Amino acid sequence: MRVAFATCSDFPDGWQDDHAAARLLDAEFRIWNDPCVDWAAYDRVVIRSAWDYTASVDAFLSWSDAVGAERLRNVPRLVGFNADKRYLAELSAPTVPTVFVAPGDPLPVLRGEVVVKPNISAGARDTGRFGRATHDEARALVARIQAGGRVALVEPYMAAVDEHGETSLVFLGGELSHVLRKRAVPERELAHAVMAEICDRFGTPLYARVDLVTDPGGKPVLLELEAIEPELYLNTSPGASERMASAILAS
């Protein structure tokens, strides 16, 4: 099987966390928007460090459709779903309470500490955390996001992040591979429920990272589902690169 790992021009040789899996597969790193690449020459095209895609999301989604469901992992339907953070409103899992502010919508009433981010972004771009004293700055960021034609997400800041951080659970081939910041059993139950819903809708993804936090009552809630180009932290777990390579071959 001939495999390509899709990356971006900032990382033409791919991200170091993917190198071991790539060696196991003899995979080639190729820049996703390089017009010279013949994607049809590969049996599998795995999206990895394509971290510039949010700057040209329409072109990226067109590229994913062109590569096609037979080759691309994850499949284009899941990529399109996950590219817009409004997917949070479509999942049945408990999530961080979120107000979606589309262009033309009135600015929301803000209470307490909040986080503002756009519906299409990566790497915390155009994202901010604001306390009561800086609500005017939060509103200004919402307005800038709206002016750019995007939808602003306004969420309460989850204070448990300061004490416990986030918990990230990495799934490879539909199976839980490893957990960062290992926490209680209920978090695993929620992560498996999220994955079950995604599998029902899109088939089993090659990879996914489920990011959870705890709400003020101590219950786990979904912060984000990362199914396009997440850091998978393969190097933190013995055997994870091998599991990734095996999942690609079986996909």
Side-chain angles (χ1 to χ4, degrees), residues 14 33 108 113 138 167 175 209 220:
N33 54 358
E113 196 166 11
T167 300
E175 300 293 331
R209 199 184 78 213

Side-chain angles (χ1 to χ4, degrees), residues 176-241:
L176 181 61
S177 170
H178 51 283
V179 181
L180 287 84
R181 295 185 181 272
K182 186 174 182 180
R183 298 288 300 285
V185 170
E187 292 191 335
R188 293 189 179 222
E189 292 175 347
L190 177 57
H192 280 285
V194 171
M195 283 299 298
E197 185 171 356
I198 292 300
C199 290
D200 284 345
R201 294 184 63 170
F202 302 102
T204 302
L206 169 62
Y207 55 83
R209 199 184 78 213
V210 181
D211 295 339
L212 308 177
V213 294
T214 53
D215 68 12
K219 295 181 179 179
V221 294
L222 177 65
L223 180 64
E224 295 228 19
L225 167 70
E226 300 277 4
I228 300 178
E229 33 57 90
E231 171 80 64
L232 295 174
Y233 304 101
L234 300 174
N235 291 331
T236 69
S237 176
S241 293

Side-chain angles (χ1 to χ4, degrees), residues 43-170:
D43 301 293
R44 292 291 180 270
V45 176
V46 182
I47 304 173
R48 295 308 307 126
S49 44
W51 290 327
D52 61 352
Y53 84 90
T54 58
S56 50
V57 67
D58 289 341
F60 180 76
L61 295 180
S62 294
W63 168 81
S64 70
D65 286 338
V67 176
E70 184 175 328
R71 289 185 178 83
L72 192 69
R73 301 292 182 269
N74 284 319
V75 295
R77 285 183 61 242
L78 177 53
V79 170
F81 172 79
N82 196 224
D84 189 323
K85 289 182 173 60
R86 284 177 289 183
Y87 70 80
L88 290 166
E90 297 188 37
L91 295 175
S92 59
T95 63
V96 175
T98 304
V99 176
F100 300 91
V101 191
D105 287 350
L107 297 178
V109 175
L110 304 181
R111 295 182 177 85
E113 196 166 11
V114 298
V115 173
V116 175
K117 54 190 173 184
N119 64 314
I120 298 174
S121 71
R125 296 186 188 96
D126 297 324
T127 297
R129 172 183 168 187
F130 305 93
R132 290 181 178 86
T134 55
H135 279 179
D136 285 346
E137 295 177 24
R139 295 186 188 94
L141 178 55
V142 170
R144 288 200 302 274
I145 292 170
Q146 290 177 304
R150 294 177 293 174
V151 176
L153 281 65
V154 181
E155 304 170 345
Y157 180 72
M158 307 301 280
V161 172
D162 291 333
E163 182 177 356
H164 303 296
E166 302 171 14
T167 300
S168 295
L169 298 94
V170 176

